[in-house]
Amino acid sequence: MTHAKKNSAWTGSIPAIFGSGLQVVDDSRAPPLLSRAQIRQVFGRNFDAASLNLAAGHGMGAVLRSHVAATLREAPHMTPDERAVAIRAATDMAFAVLQAARRGESVASRRIEIDQVENSLYESACALIRRNCADSSLNPQVVASELGCSRASLYRLFSRNGKSVAAMIWSTRLDNAWHMISANVHATLLFAEIAFRCGFVDQSTFNRMFKRRYGISPREARSLLEIPAS
């Protein structure tokens, strides 16, 4: 069985990258530079074909391809010792390509882990705000302290999601106020009481922010919803 046939399963799925090991040119005359066992020494048992494919396509990977292709082309004109030097150089470059691929894989994995942690922290922050927005003392510093992170980290986290911590606190309070005003069960509550229950320290601030958010005053909202005014 020829070398090309033995490696057809690999070269067919990831052309010009893998033989039974690492094969950087699609040429049946070129044996793999590194065995699969050597690849695993660098990558571990489950090496990432996508990362290796990317690393082999530019930088040192591109230089290696060119070197191997030139070695194959010029081999008939080289002495055995010269060919041995060329092969050793190719092997060294192949290890460098593997290391680059592994670094790329590690960075990508780390980024995924960071994203998962940050998404979880963001959801926790939003849940904390929803639970505690009725507390008038709730502010970004309190949220950060409860979550065990710095205020700067909290700001960056919300900014990444296109939000502001303070704006979300006030928005959540106003959402709760709207729901209370629109609910029949709260139809007899004074607006000052609604403001207090939603975390506002005074009714004037509540009235101003409510109108800024919804375009109408709390009283107009209750009237519009046909609920008897307080």
Side-chain angles (χ1 to χ4, degrees), residues 68-224:
V68 172
T71 299
L72 289 171
R73 184 179 64 250
E74 299 299 326
H77 311 294
M78 299 165 65
T79 67
D81 286 344
E82 289 172 335
R83 287 196 292 271
V85 169
I87 291 171
R88 282 198 299 273
T91 301
D92 289 342
M93 283 189 279
F95 272 113
V97 171
L98 281 184
Q99 293 289 356
R102 185 180 181 184
R103 286 194 298 272
E105 180 188 45
S106 298
V107 169
S109 297
R110 181 60 179 158
R111 183 66 255 175
I112 290 172
E113 291 174 4
I114 291 173
D115 287 345
Q116 290 173 339
V117 170
E118 289 185 344
N119 288 339
S120 177
L121 188 61
Y122 176 73
E123 292 301 325
S124 295
C126 292
L128 187 150
I129 290 171
R130 288 191 295 270
R131 287 195 309 270
N132 299 285
C133 65
D135 182 351
S136 60
S137 67
L138 185 70
N139 58 35
Q141 182 58 59
V142 172
V143 174
S145 296
E146 288 291 327
L147 293 174
C149 67
S150 69
R151 188 168 56 180
S153 295
L154 186 68
Y155 286 151
R156 285 195 297 271
L157 185 63
F158 271 70
S159 177
R160 180 186 168 199
N161 286 274
K163 305 287 185 180
S164 156
V165 186
M168 179 165 284
I169 292 173
W170 289 113
S171 177
T172 305
R173 287 171 173 161
L174 289 167
D175 286 342
N176 288 349
W178 179 272
H179 290 312
M180 290 186 73
I181 289 173
S182 63
N184 286 319
V185 68
H186 299 304
T188 61
L189 281 180
L190 297 172
F191 293 122
E193 179 65 18
I194 291 176
F196 175 76
R197 291 191 185 188
C198 292
F200 293 88
V201 294
D202 60 75
Q203 187 176 345
S204 62
T205 300
F206 168 60
N207 289 343
R208 184 176 66 256
M209 296 190 73
F210 189 96
K211 187 164 187 177
R212 183 186 304 165
R213 169 73 179 277
Y214 297 110
I216 56 177
S217 68
R219 188 174 299 278
E220 289 169 332
R222 178 170 278 171
S223 210
L224 181 66

Side-chain angles (χ1 to χ4, degrees), residues 32-46:
L33 289 170
L34 302 176
S35 69
R36 295 179 69 181
Q38 289 174 310
I39 294 174
R40 288 197 183 97
Q41 286 177 3
V42 177
F43 259 100
R45 180 170 295 276
N46 296 313

